[in-house]
Amino acid sequence: MSALILSMHECDTVAIALQPLVEGQELGEALVCREAVAAGHKVAVRPAAAGAPVYKYGQVIGVATRAIAAGEHVHTHNLGYAPVAEPDRGAAAPPVAGGFGAEPDAGANLFKGYLRADGQAGTRNYIGIMATVNCSATVVARIARHFYQHPRLRDAGVDAVIPVVHQSGCGIPASGGVELSLLQRVLSGYLHNPNFCGWVLVGLGCEVNQAEQLLGAAGQGRAAPVREVTIQEVGGTSAAVTRGIEQVEALMSVAAQSRRQVLPLTKLKVGLQCGGSDGWSGVTANPALGAAVDRLVAAGGTAILAETPEIYGAEQLLLARATSPAVAARLREKIAWWQDYLAQHGKDMNNNPSPGNLAGGITTILEKSLGAVAKSGSSTLNGVLDYGRAAPDSGLLFMDSPGYDPCSVTGEIAAGANLVCFTTGRGSTFGAAGAPTLKLASNQQLFARMREDMDINCGPIAGGARSIDELGEEIFHAIIATAGGRPTASEKLGLGEYEFVPWAMGAVV
């Protein structure tokens, strides 16, 4: 194949433009470009009749909506979405990125973290301030603002005071509804997340999501102490802010007792995420992250893949790696739920790709999902979690969630993720409140253009300057360094305060 285009599999009918192509440009033996094609977009390397399947990564990414000649640009004007045939959905297929199976160095199987009383380990030493209801969000934000870059934080060994605010907590059924139970599941998960050494819970006083009920839902065994402030009881907004500041200051003595110590990677839980994906994401950043995940899992760590709508059409790659029929059945149930849910609203899975995805060269959800699943590497799928549900197992897990990045990461942190790896091709400024977020750029242009937002450049993979395995090794060591306290680009920029977005389902009354 020409140095101008990249084919991912021998049976592919399309290749990826490594640079902008122009009409008449020779792409290889008997292959001439018929029109301009942007870098990262697809060009046909073989003709396809109308209605014929189109292949990328060795998998079907859609059907030709009209006859496609070799050398044509293949995108939304001639490639359409077609639901994957049910008999093929559980069929075994090779992993998108291939099997890595790399064994990490024995000396690399350690990181410096905070061992909590419940046996979990934090990668950061946060104090959290949580709103039980949107009515207390302003008070929470003002308390946190008081401590922004406060000199006492460093003295106490506190990485940050994190505000956790949301738009719910009232105006929902007080019992028996998914709205309250889902919100409390997520908030409870944050109360248990080992990145927090203490919490201040701020409520209004008359809300549906009462503090006592929330703490009851969280159950016993929390490693972090929780202090409460009720706005109506202490005398209003200003008094609540003052009381909240006092409570945070009291927790600093607790935080100061925490010290980093050498811990095994079995205590590391990494959330896997992609956002603002482009045509390179499934070629460079996602499979490189998959190579790092294989190393983490081999060392006994945990990785949590999410975004159910963004594995559709590629779930067979996960089903083939399920550790048991029960795990495979759980994943199929989640896919089926989403199909029914979207159908009720007159939508389908192909409504997922965003305008940025399309501009970056991704055409259908099938193509997007094949690239997204590459983040999981080639490890065995050990379990399927409900949204925000604590992860009891180690290894590779899948968590049901929407494809909306902040919502998905919120669920992963609630499930226990103490670090997040986030790949992007178009550019994302995401940062998570609650877990340090490593940002992986899929192409060199993005890395150069948004340098202060990116941690690792995966672009050299496309041109062959570096291999997927080499970048996987780099990402693996970056995960260990970040878990040990090295700040990420998102942390340096102070991102994450507004990215706590629990999945909101059900009725507002």
Side-chain angles (χ1 to χ4, degrees), residues 13 27 30-35 43-48 67-74:
T13 55
L27 304 179
L31 182 62
V32 176
C33 187
R34 292 175 175 265
E35 57 191 314
V43 59
V45 294
R46 285 197 284 272
I68 301 174
E72 275 193 67
H73 180 208
V74 178

PDB file of all heavy atoms in Angstrom, residues 13 27 30-35 43-48 67-74:
ATOM      1  N   THR A  13     -12.054  -2.677   2.431  1.00  0.00           N
ATOM      2  CA  THR A  13     -12.366  -2.047   1.140  1.00  0.00           C
ATOM      3  C   THR A  13     -12.057  -0.564   1.166  1.00  0.00           C
ATOM      4  O   THR A  13     -12.196   0.112   0.140  1.00  0.00           O
ATOM      5  CB  THR A  13     -13.840  -2.273   0.774  1.00  0.00           C
ATOM      6  OG1 THR A  13     -14.664  -1.802   1.849  1.00  0.00           O
ATOM      7  CG2 THR A  13     -14.122  -3.741   0.533  1.00  0.00           C
ATOM      8  N   LEU A  27      -2.140   6.590  -5.674  1.00  0.00           N
ATOM      9  CA  LEU A  27      -2.131   6.063  -4.318  1.00  0.00           C
ATOM     10  C   LEU A  27      -1.496   4.683  -4.234  1.00  0.00           C
ATOM     11  O   LEU A  27      -1.257   4.172  -3.138  1.00  0.00           O
ATOM     12  CB  LEU A  27      -3.562   5.992  -3.775  1.00  0.00           C
ATOM     13  CG  LEU A  27      -4.342   7.315  -3.791  1.00  0.00           C
ATOM     14  CD1 LEU A  27      -5.751   7.096  -3.250  1.00  0.00           C
ATOM     15  CD2 LEU A  27      -3.614   8.382  -2.988  1.00  0.00           C
ATOM     16  N   ALA A  30      -2.335   0.852  -9.758  1.00  0.00           N
ATOM     17  CA  ALA A  30      -3.660   0.913 -10.391  1.00  0.00           C
ATOM     18  C   ALA A  30      -4.700   1.586  -9.511  1.00  0.00           C
ATOM     19  O   ALA A  30      -5.900   1.350  -9.674  1.00  0.00           O
ATOM     20  CB  ALA A  30      -4.124  -0.489 -10.783  1.00  0.00           C
ATOM     21  N   LEU A  31      -4.266   2.438  -8.581  1.00  0.00           N
ATOM     22  CA  LEU A  31      -5.218   3.145  -7.716  1.00  0.00           C
ATOM     23  C   LEU A  31      -4.929   4.636  -7.781  1.00  0.00           C
ATOM     24  O   LEU A  31      -3.845   5.085  -7.407  1.00  0.00           O
ATOM     25  CB  LEU A  31      -5.120   2.657  -6.275  1.00  0.00           C
ATOM     26  CG  LEU A  31      -6.099   3.295  -5.271  1.00  0.00           C
ATOM     27  CD1 LEU A  31      -7.548   2.985  -5.662  1.00  0.00           C
ATOM     28  CD2 LEU A  31      -5.821   2.803  -3.850  1.00  0.00           C
ATOM     29  N   VAL A  32      -5.906   5.398  -8.257  1.00  0.00           N
ATOM     30  CA  VAL A  32      -5.779   6.846  -8.408  1.00  0.00           C
ATOM     31  C   VAL A  32      -6.891   7.526  -7.613  1.00  0.00           C
ATOM     32  O   VAL A  32      -8.053   7.111  -7.669  1.00  0.00           O
ATOM     33  CB  VAL A  32      -5.869   7.259  -9.896  1.00  0.00           C
ATOM     34  CG1 VAL A  32      -5.825   8.776 -10.030  1.00  0.00           C
ATOM     35  CG2 VAL A  32      -4.733   6.613 -10.682  1.00  0.00           C
ATOM     36  N   CYS A  33      -6.541   8.560  -6.883  1.00  0.00           N
ATOM     37  CA  CYS A  33      -7.531   9.301  -6.099  1.00  0.00           C
ATOM     38  C   CYS A  33      -8.458  10.058  -7.053  1.00  0.00           C
ATOM     39  O   CYS A  33      -7.991  10.785  -7.938  1.00  0.00           O
ATOM     40  CB  CYS A  33      -6.827  10.270  -5.153  1.00  0.00           C
ATOM     41  SG  CYS A  33      -7.917  11.093  -3.994  1.00  0.00           S
ATOM     42  N   ARG A  34      -9.769   9.896  -6.881  1.00  0.00           N
ATOM     43  CA  ARG A  34     -10.740  10.504  -7.780  1.00  0.00           C
ATOM     44  C   ARG A  34     -11.225  11.883  -7.321  1.00  0.00           C
ATOM     45  O   ARG A  34     -11.864  12.601  -8.089  1.00  0.00           O
ATOM     46  CB  ARG A  34     -11.946   9.573  -7.934  1.00  0.00           C
ATOM     47  CG  ARG A  34     -11.634   8.283  -8.689  1.00  0.00           C
ATOM     48  CD  ARG A  34     -12.833   7.354  -8.690  1.00  0.00           C
ATOM     49  NE  ARG A  34     -12.576   6.173  -9.512  1.00  0.00           N
ATOM     50  CZ  ARG A  34     -12.933   6.061 -10.792  1.00  0.00           C
ATOM     51  NH1 ARG A  34     -13.582   7.048 -11.386  1.00  0.00           N
ATOM     52  NH2 ARG A  34     -12.655   4.968 -11.468  1.00  0.00           N
ATOM     53  N   GLU A  35     -10.934  12.251  -6.081  1.00  0.00           N
ATOM     54  CA  GLU A  35     -11.413  13.532  -5.541  1.00  0.00           C
ATOM     55  C   GLU A  35     -10.606  13.865  -4.297  1.00  0.00           C
ATOM     56  O   GLU A  35      -9.867  13.035  -3.778  1.00  0.00           O
ATOM     57  CB  GLU A  35     -12.901  13.440  -5.197  1.00  0.00           C
ATOM     58  CG  GLU A  35     -13.225  12.327  -4.215  1.00  0.00           C
ATOM     59  CD  GLU A  35     -14.712  12.073  -4.097  1.00  0.00           C
ATOM     60  OE1 GLU A  35     -15.465  13.045  -3.984  1.00  0.00           O
ATOM     61  OE2 GLU A  35     -15.113  10.874  -4.133  1.00  0.00           O
ATOM     62  N   VAL A  43     -10.730   6.404   1.896  1.00  0.00           N
ATOM     63  CA  VAL A  43     -10.732   6.350   0.444  1.00  0.00           C
ATOM     64  C   VAL A  43     -10.922   4.890   0.043  1.00  0.00           C
ATOM     65  O   VAL A  43     -10.362   3.977   0.666  1.00  0.00           O
ATOM     66  CB  VAL A  43      -9.422   6.923  -0.149  1.00  0.00           C
ATOM     67  CG1 VAL A  43      -8.206   6.162   0.346  1.00  0.00           C
ATOM     68  CG2 VAL A  43      -9.472   6.940  -1.661  1.00  0.00           C
ATOM     69  N   ALA A  44     -11.759   4.642  -0.969  1.00  0.00           N
ATOM     70  CA  ALA A  44     -12.018   3.277  -1.398  1.00  0.00           C
ATOM     71  C   ALA A  44     -10.797   2.692  -2.097  1.00  0.00           C
ATOM     72  O   ALA A  44     -10.220   3.330  -2.980  1.00  0.00           O
ATOM     73  CB  ALA A  44     -13.222   3.243  -2.340  1.00  0.00           C
ATOM     74  N   VAL A  45     -10.395   1.503  -1.690  1.00  0.00           N
ATOM     75  CA  VAL A  45      -9.286   0.822  -2.354  1.00  0.00           C
ATOM     76  C   VAL A  45      -9.805  -0.276  -3.272  1.00  0.00           C
ATOM     77  O   VAL A  45      -9.048  -0.814  -4.085  1.00  0.00           O
ATOM     78  CB  VAL A  45      -8.288   0.237  -1.330  1.00  0.00           C
ATOM     79  CG1 VAL A  45      -7.609   1.359  -0.562  1.00  0.00           C
ATOM     80  CG2 VAL A  45      -8.971  -0.727  -0.369  1.00  0.00           C
ATOM     81  N   ARG A  46     -11.080  -0.595  -3.133  1.00  0.00           N
ATOM     82  CA  ARG A  46     -11.750  -1.541  -4.025  1.00  0.00           C
ATOM     83  C   ARG A  46     -13.154  -1.021  -4.290  1.00  0.00           C
ATOM     84  O   ARG A  46     -13.752  -0.368  -3.424  1.00  0.00           O
ATOM     85  CB  ARG A  46     -11.808  -2.938  -3.386  1.00  0.00           C
ATOM     86  CG  ARG A  46     -10.489  -3.670  -3.403  1.00  0.00           C
ATOM     87  CD  ARG A  46     -10.692  -5.164  -3.160  1.00  0.00           C
ATOM     88  NE  ARG A  46     -10.972  -5.464  -1.774  1.00  0.00           N
ATOM     89  CZ  ARG A  46     -10.025  -5.702  -0.860  1.00  0.00           C
ATOM     90  NH1 ARG A  46      -8.756  -5.628  -1.197  1.00  0.00           N
ATOM     91  NH2 ARG A  46     -10.347  -6.001   0.371  1.00  0.00           N
ATOM     92  N   PRO A  47     -13.712  -1.301  -5.459  1.00  0.00           N
ATOM     93  CA  PRO A  47     -15.074  -0.842  -5.735  1.00  0.00           C
ATOM     94  C   PRO A  47     -16.093  -1.583  -4.883  1.00  0.00           C
ATOM     95  O   PRO A  47     -15.854  -2.710  -4.429  1.00  0.00           O
ATOM     96  CB  PRO A  47     -15.249  -1.150  -7.225  1.00  0.00           C
ATOM     97  CG  PRO A  47     -14.299  -2.263  -7.497  1.00  0.00           C
ATOM     98  CD  PRO A  47     -13.125  -2.044  -6.598  1.00  0.00           C
ATOM     99  N   ALA A  48     -17.232  -0.943  -4.668  1.00  0.00           N
ATOM    100  CA  ALA A  48     -18.328  -1.561  -3.920  1.00  0.00           C
ATOM    101  C   ALA A  48     -19.635  -1.241  -4.624  1.00  0.00           C
ATOM    102  O   ALA A  48     -19.902  -0.078  -4.962  1.00  0.00           O
ATOM    103  CB  ALA A  48     -18.367  -1.053  -2.483  1.00  0.00           C
ATOM    104  N   ALA A  67     -23.153   2.981  -5.798  1.00  0.00           N
ATOM    105  CA  ALA A  67     -21.926   2.351  -6.263  1.00  0.00           C
ATOM    106  C   ALA A  67     -20.722   3.240  -5.934  1.00  0.00           C
ATOM    107  O   ALA A  67     -20.760   4.457  -6.146  1.00  0.00           O
ATOM    108  CB  ALA A  67     -21.992   2.096  -7.754  1.00  0.00           C
ATOM    109  N   ILE A  68     -19.667   2.640  -5.419  1.00  0.00           N
ATOM    110  CA  ILE A  68     -18.452   3.364  -5.048  1.00  0.00           C
ATOM    111  C   ILE A  68     -17.303   2.828  -5.888  1.00  0.00           C
ATOM    112  O   ILE A  68     -17.049   1.615  -5.919  1.00  0.00           O
ATOM    113  CB  ILE A  68     -18.120   3.200  -3.553  1.00  0.00           C
ATOM    114  CG1 ILE A  68     -19.277   3.707  -2.678  1.00  0.00           C
ATOM    115  CG2 ILE A  68     -16.828   3.925  -3.200  1.00  0.00           C
ATOM    116  CD1 ILE A  68     -19.077   3.444  -1.188  1.00  0.00           C
ATOM    117  N   ALA A  69     -16.615   3.720  -6.564  1.00  0.00           N
ATOM    118  CA  ALA A  69     -15.464   3.322  -7.377  1.00  0.00           C
ATOM    119  C   ALA A  69     -14.191   3.394  -6.544  1.00  0.00           C
ATOM    120  O   ALA A  69     -14.086   4.182  -5.598  1.00  0.00           O
ATOM    121  CB  ALA A  69     -15.343   4.237  -8.595  1.00  0.00           C
ATOM    122  N   ALA A  70     -13.210   2.576  -6.885  1.00  0.00           N
ATOM    123  CA  ALA A  70     -11.911   2.635  -6.225  1.00  0.00           C
ATOM    124  C   ALA A  70     -11.319   4.029  -6.406  1.00  0.00           C
ATOM    125  O   ALA A  70     -11.371   4.606  -7.494  1.00  0.00           O
ATOM    126  CB  ALA A  70     -10.979   1.580  -6.796  1.00  0.00           C
ATOM    127  N   GLY A  71     -10.796   4.597  -5.322  1.00  0.00           N
ATOM    128  CA  GLY A  71     -10.224   5.935  -5.361  1.00  0.00           C
ATOM    129  C   GLY A  71     -11.180   7.020  -4.901  1.00  0.00           C
ATOM    130  O   GLY A  71     -10.769   8.172  -4.735  1.00  0.00           O
ATOM    131  N   GLU A  72     -12.446   6.685  -4.670  1.00  0.00           N
ATOM    132  CA  GLU A  72     -13.416   7.684  -4.214  1.00  0.00           C
ATOM    133  C   GLU A  72     -13.305   7.913  -2.711  1.00  0.00           C
ATOM    134  O   GLU A  72     -12.948   7.016  -1.946  1.00  0.00           O
ATOM    135  CB  GLU A  72     -14.848   7.223  -4.504  1.00  0.00           C
ATOM    136  CG  GLU A  72     -15.355   7.528  -5.891  1.00  0.00           C
ATOM    137  CD  GLU A  72     -16.862   7.333  -5.984  1.00  0.00           C
ATOM    138  OE1 GLU A  72     -17.591   8.120  -5.332  1.00  0.00           O
ATOM    139  OE2 GLU A  72     -17.300   6.403  -6.685  1.00  0.00           O
ATOM    140  N   HIS A  73     -13.670   9.131  -2.316  1.00  0.00           N
ATOM    141  CA  HIS A  73     -13.840   9.453  -0.912  1.00  0.00           C
ATOM    142  C   HIS A  73     -15.060   8.694  -0.396  1.00  0.00           C
ATOM    143  O   HIS A  73     -16.129   8.706  -1.004  1.00  0.00           O
ATOM    144  CB  HIS A  73     -14.063  10.969  -0.757  1.00  0.00           C
ATOM    145  CG  HIS A  73     -14.256  11.431   0.657  1.00  0.00           C
ATOM    146  ND1 HIS A  73     -15.003  12.556   0.969  1.00  0.00           N
ATOM    147  CD2 HIS A  73     -13.811  10.940   1.832  1.00  0.00           C
ATOM    148  CE1 HIS A  73     -15.002  12.728   2.271  1.00  0.00           C
ATOM    149  NE2 HIS A  73     -14.278  11.773   2.825  1.00  0.00           N
ATOM    150  N   VAL A  74     -14.939   8.003   0.743  1.00  0.00           N
ATOM    151  CA  VAL A  74     -16.036   7.239   1.327  1.00  0.00           C
ATOM    152  C   VAL A  74     -16.445   7.898   2.639  1.00  0.00           C
ATOM    153  O   VAL A  74     -15.669   7.953   3.599  1.00  0.00           O
ATOM    154  CB  VAL A  74     -15.622   5.772   1.570  1.00  0.00           C
ATOM    155  CG1 VAL A  74     -16.759   5.001   2.226  1.00  0.00           C
ATOM    156  CG2 VAL A  74     -15.201   5.110   0.270  1.00  0.00           C
TER     157      VAL A  74
END
